[in-house]
Amino acid sequence: QVQLVESGGGLVQTGGSLRLSCAASGSIFSINDMAWYRQAPGKQRELVASVTDNGYSNYADSVKGRFTISRDNARKMVSLQMNSLVPEDTAVYYCYADLFTMSYRNLNTWGQGTQVTVSS
């Protein structure tokens, strides 16, 4: 069994910062891409940032220069540092991992989501 557990969401004022973390656990052989997605009320889930196993990162245009994704392969963790937050960043944020289990099964795994609310 494999799971992703997020932490770090909450309520912050415009211009503030939050750091999200996600830890993968279970019978994991290797992790390829890890990413953060978000879904605002009434909107589709969208990619916020992704990072490959060798550290190459990619960002949505709306968060470039404000958010930074990082990962710790040894600890099987991915983090998202969010600065200069604006109300439009309000959403449920989901951790994602493309991984192989010990039985070499490829899984696209999601966390349960963590709420980020930015007040104006």
Side-chain angles (χ1 to χ4, degrees), residues 31-52:
I31 303 177
N32 300 323
D33 291 356
M34 301 187 81
W36 288 95
Y37 286 74
R38 68 186 181 187
Q39 187 167 18
K43 295 187 177 181
Q44 291 188 332
R45 190 173 298 189
E46 63 174 358
L47 175 67
V48 175
S50 64
V51 60
T52 65

Side-chain angles (χ1 to χ4, degrees), residues 72-103:
D72 183 332
N73 290 330
R75 298 173 63 192
K76 299 184 179 64
M77 292 186 68
V78 63
S79 298
L80 185 69
Q81 177 65 42
M82 304 184 294
N83 298 328
S84 302
L85 285 161
V86 296
E88 291 73 26
D89 295 318
T90 295
V92 177
Y93 284 69
Y94 296 91
C95 178
Y96 165 86
D98 172 14
L99 58 86
F100 281 92
T101 67
M102 287 295 187
S103 58

